[in-house]
Amino acid sequence: MSKNKQDITLQCKPMSTGIAIGKAFIYRDILTRDISSYNISEKNVTHELRRITKALSSVKRDLYKLSRSVSHSMSSKEGSIFEAQRLMLDDNEFTGLFETEMRNELTNAEQVTKNVFRKYINRFENLENEIIKSKTEDLHDILRKMLRHLLGIDTNILARLPENSIIISRRLLPSDTIILDRNHVKGIIVEEGSIHAHSAIIARSLGIPALVTNEKMLQEIQDRTTVIIDGFSGKAIINPLYSTAGIYRNRQSAIGNELSKKIRSVKGYAKTVSGRTIKLMANANTLQEVQNAEECGCDGIGLFRTEGIYLQHKSLPDEEELYVHLKNALEPAGNIPITVRVLDIGGDKRLPYFQLNNEVSPFLGLRGIRLLLRNPALLKTQINVLLKLHQEFNLRVLLPMVTLPEEVSAVYNMIEGCQKDLKHILKKKNIRLGCMIETPASALAIDEFLQVSDFISIGTNDLIQYVMAASRENPDVADYYEKGIDYILPLIKNIANACKKAGKECSVCGEIVNEEHCLKKFMDCGIDQFSISAFRIPHLKAYIRELK
Ligand code: PEP
Ligand code: MG
């Protein structure tokens, strides 16, 4: 891609609709960035070694704080993981390697650090022992921290973006997207991802256009080049002509006008021509998104994902911090119904300060409720907070990734215990507890789940991936995933019938419902409640009002 060539059009896959015009912001994981390497003279060795010693002390200090806060809010077992990382940096044999490498190679501190860690990581990777092998992730993590300290890089580079940024990255992790500077991000282009990936979900919930491309854009595009994203057709236009940018600006303002017209007429449930009422609630992760949902005329918050709140903290929030943060985020919802999902980590969703085992198949491992039941302190903190918030909001609790009815019963027992402990402050009892149906087992055994749950929420993002055996994150199997809707429809019909018979509410909250024709398919299965991206609510209410 030549630097001066104009109007270069790349056909990509849309992940989130809309038009964005902005400047490229190239984002690279620190481990994949080119870090300068230069030779030093003998007399500079002491200076460079001092830089390494300083970075080591800072990282040790960070790890110490992390280990203390995790031990306090979870258990000493989790805290000990960071303590072990810290002790490794205290080991003279290990730290001695930096001096040896520097004297042998006479190169700068960053390069020496990379070399020492790479050698160590290679040694671990070549071992037969799976447990030791899995420690390489820890080493990558420490290396990232060391490089950040050496380079003086702000960890949250994505939290303070230049104005009008279009982020271009190999991939964005959920932890990256959650800290995004929402005021200045205008669009996202990733080289790896799919419409069902969490980064795509977040882009849609922010109303930011996003694309996934097959091209190696990172190497080709210069920082701050003008980029247009057409999230409808999937086109990315690099370095557009003045006339092209003008056409897209006009389209942008036409879309804006149409949306504000729809928003003005959106309040109240949508009813089809024949009088069937459909509830459209919103998915949200943050205060801003709850505000957006309210402005877009949602009939409730059908899925509040708590991962965003956790990701905004530097270490595990304690009960008080979680209460304050969650209350603040839910405030704009006022009295409308809110469904808060307890923490759903595992799979691709990780918290930087919470060490997960390196599982061979994380999507089939300790995810969602499985992980919480293994870490009861983590779950209990959330239950206590939700019981308190239940006093002030119209709130119910949702469990992610359930597979067995006994998981729900175990949470019920915990709620009862927490209610007893808090009985002096709880006036309103009987918080409603629901489960997400997103595994084939729970979909097939819906009657058993209805006996232990107050309501049901079907998570099609995961249900499709598990039914089709096709990862939602992997573009190579996107064709399988895309065909999934027709394969899950018989399950949906069965769940809708079972819920009606049991007199319990049932909604669908996967991303697929953002598409009109998919929403219609679920309505035809008997579903009357949905939870979707806030910005789609005005369009879909208008669509429903025209249906027979
Ligand atoms: C789902 O799986 O459909 C869902 C809504 O949950 P998440 O996308 O957060 O996994
Ligand atoms: Mg899910």
Side-chain angles (χ1 to χ4, degrees):
M1 212 179 281
S2 127
K3 195 175 156 200
N4 298 322
K5 224 172 143 202
Q6 288 204 284
D7 250 16
I8 306 158
T9 303
L10 303 176
Q11 188 57 51
C12 313
K13 264 196 164 179
M15 293 203 298
S16 174
T17 57
I19 306 285
I21 306 174
K23 301 272 184 201
F25 178 87
I26 312 293
Y27 175 66
R28 293 189 177 90
D29 179 349
I30 196 158
L31 295 189
T32 61
R33 277 185 225 170
D34 289 334
I35 289 175
S36 61
S37 158
Y38 49 89
N39 292 336
I40 57 164
S41 61
E42 295 269 7
K43 70 176 192 318
N44 281 334
V45 165
T46 319
H47 170 73
E48 289 296 294
L49 277 175
R50 213 175 287 133
R51 289 181 63 217
I52 292 182
T53 315
K54 218 170 132 208
L56 280 168
S57 319
S58 305
V59 174
K60 277 194 291 188
R61 205 175 45 237
D62 291 352
L63 287 169
Y64 177 68
K65 280 195 211 147
L66 208 56
S67 130
R68 292 230 342 196
S69 73
V70 172
S71 304
H72 181 67
S73 43
M74 292 201 55
S75 74
S76 52
K77 182 169 161 253
E78 275 72 29
S80 66
I81 293 163
F82 299 104
E83 184 55 14
Q85 289 189 356
R86 189 180 73 84
L87 287 177
M88 184 176 160
L89 298 184
D90 255 344
D91 175 0
N92 288 341
E93 198 187 322
F94 179 68
T95 51
L97 297 174
F98 292 94
E99 182 164 356
T100 315
E101 179 77 16
M102 187 163 296
R103 295 205 183 278
N104 286 345
E105 300 299 324
L106 287 179
T107 178
N108 59 319
E110 290 82 355
Q111 207 48 48
V112 164
T113 304
K114 275 179 92 168
N115 292 350
V116 167
F117 274 87
R118 287 271 142 79
K119 283 180 192 165
Y120 231 70
I121 289 167
N122 284 349
R123 258 174 44 201
F124 275 31
E125 276 174 347
N126 291 330
L127 291 175
E128 291 287 311
N129 185 326
E130 287 299 322
I131 296 175
I132 300 183
K133 240 187 198 172
S134 72
K135 291 289 167 217
T136 54
E137 258 316 301
D138 283 350
L139 289 164
H140 279 123
D141 242 16
I142 309 177
L143 174 56
R144 273 192 191 95
K145 290 189 171 82
M146 283 289 292
L147 290 174
R148 281 199 185 107
H149 276 285
L150 281 169
L151 295 164
I153 290 176
D154 185 347
T155 344
N156 288 348
I157 190 168
L158 291 172
R160 263 181 280 122
L161 293 168
E163 276 187 14
N164 272 338
S165 289
I166 303 248
I167 296 174
I168 301 183
S169 174
R170 189 163 72 82
R171 67 180 291 208
L172 284 181
L173 297 169
S175 51
D176 295 326
T177 26
I178 209 71
I179 54 154
L180 274 186
D181 176 352
R182 281 141 212 258
N183 292 326
H184 296 137
V185 59
K186 294 291 172 237
I188 296 173
I189 305 180
V190 288
E191 293 177 353
E192 283 174 22
S194 83
I195 186 168
H196 313 284
H198 286 104
S199 49
I201 294 175
I202 289 179
R204 280 195 293 275
S205 64
L206 293 175
I208 300 172
L211 304 174
V212 56
T213 171
N214 291 327
E215 312 272 335
K216 290 276 162 252
M217 287 183 78
L218 277 174
Q219 286 147 25
E220 307 282 348
I221 294 190
Q222 311 259 341
D223 220 26
R224 308 314 286 159
T225 306
T226 302
V227 176
I228 296 176
I229 294 183
D230 180 344
F232 299 102
S233 68
K235 284 196 181 83
I237 301 158
I238 318 298
N239 206 7
L241 287 165
Y242 187 73
S243 52
T244 312
I247 293 171
Y248 277 95
R249 279 214 175 85
N250 288 342
R251 269 189 73 194
Q252 236 181 355
S253 68
I255 291 166
N257 290 343
E258 196 198 333
L259 183 65
S260 26
K261 227 165 55 200
K262 280 184 178 155
I263 285 180
R264 281 198 295 277
S265 63
V266 83
K267 294 282 175 200
Y269 294 145
K271 267 192 187 168
T272 62
V273 176
S274 59
R276 179 173 169 200
T277 302
I278 303 293
K279 255 196 214 174
L280 286 190
M281 301 176 286
N283 296 339
N285 301 278
T286 59
L287 163 73
Q288 176 71 56
E289 289 171 31
V290 175
Q291 247 157 16
N292 293 343
E294 225 286 312
E295 282 159 20
C296 288
C298 70
D299 301 325
I301 303 294
L303 171 65
F304 186 89
R305 292 180 169 97
T306 46
E307 296 81 72
I309 302 276
Y310 276 85
L311 281 165
Q312 282 166 13
H313 282 259
K314 287 206 160 61
S315 56
L316 264 183
D318 63 21
E319 203 172 302
E320 181 58 22
E321 286 168 330
L322 187 62
Y323 172 80
V324 171
H325 207 137
L326 203 47
K327 179 174 156 97
N328 189 34
L330 299 181
E331 212 85 75
N335 206 25
I336 60 173
I338 307 170
T339 304
V340 178
R341 183 175 74 183
V342 290
L343 188 63
D344 181 20
I345 51 169
D348 69 327
K349 288 189 267 191
R350 288 168 175 261
L351 300 175
Y353 48 81
F354 183 81
Q355 199 80 7
L356 296 170
N357 289 338
N358 285 313
E359 296 172 303
V360 181
S361 311
F363 276 105
L364 300 179
L366 279 183
R367 241 199 101 175
I369 196 62
R370 301 174 181 184
L371 185 127
L372 295 179
L373 289 172
R374 286 282 182 99
N375 295 276
L378 184 57
L379 179 58
K380 200 168 164 202
T381 305
Q382 297 170 70
I383 303 257
N384 282 340
V385 168
L386 293 171
L387 285 171
K388 288 180 196 164
L389 290 172
H390 179 225
Q391 310 303 305
E392 307 163 54
F393 293 95
N394 180 359
L395 179 146
R396 56 187 195 173
V397 180
L398 185 60
L399 306 180
M401 185 72 192
V402 295
T403 332
L404 298 167
E406 48 263 43
E407 291 166 330
V408 188
S409 307
V411 179
Y412 250 121
N413 293 339
M414 186 181 274
I415 291 180
E416 271 181 8
C418 294
Q419 262 170 347
K420 265 191 206 136
D421 294 345
L422 296 175
K423 65 173 183 291
H424 53 290
I425 53 165
L426 302 183
K427 292 209 176 75
K428 218 162 120 194
K429 299 249 164 57
N430 302 333
I431 196 164
R432 281 165 300 157
L433 181 64
C435 47
M436 284 196 79
I437 301 297
E438 42 188 358
T439 61
S442 60
L444 292 166
I446 187 64
D447 291 324
E448 286 179 53
F449 282 91
L450 280 165
Q451 282 171 24
V452 289
S453 324
D454 297 314
F455 67 96
I456 293 296
S457 170
I458 306 173
T460 52
N461 300 341
D462 278 312
L463 185 58
I464 293 179
Q465 86 163 340
Y466 293 125
V467 165
M468 299 306 286
S471 162
R472 63 198 264 187
E473 301 282 335
N474 184 348
D476 291 336
V477 290
D479 290 350
Y480 291 91
Y481 191 101
E482 243 100 80
K483 295 197 171 88
I485 179 160
D486 292 323
Y487 288 86
I488 63 162
L489 287 179
L491 289 171
I492 305 288
K493 213 177 199 164
N494 192 35
I495 296 169
N497 283 338
C499 290
K500 275 201 181 121
K501 233 198 257 162
K504 297 198 173 165
E505 286 187 28
C506 171
S507 60
V508 173
C509 65
E511 292 303 305
I512 207 165
V513 191
N514 286 309
E515 303 301 324
E516 290 152 11
H517 70 281
C518 297
L519 175 96
K520 175 75 171 59
K521 285 186 182 185
F522 289 116
M523 282 174 64
D524 290 345
C525 290
I527 302 285
D528 298 321
Q529 296 188 18
F530 299 91
S531 191
I532 56 178
S533 304
F535 292 103
R536 292 293 293 158
I537 290 177
H539 300 286
L540 291 179
K541 281 202 175 178
Y543 168 75
I544 292 166
R545 286 181 176 133
E546 285 183 4
L547 286 177
K548 296 264 155 12

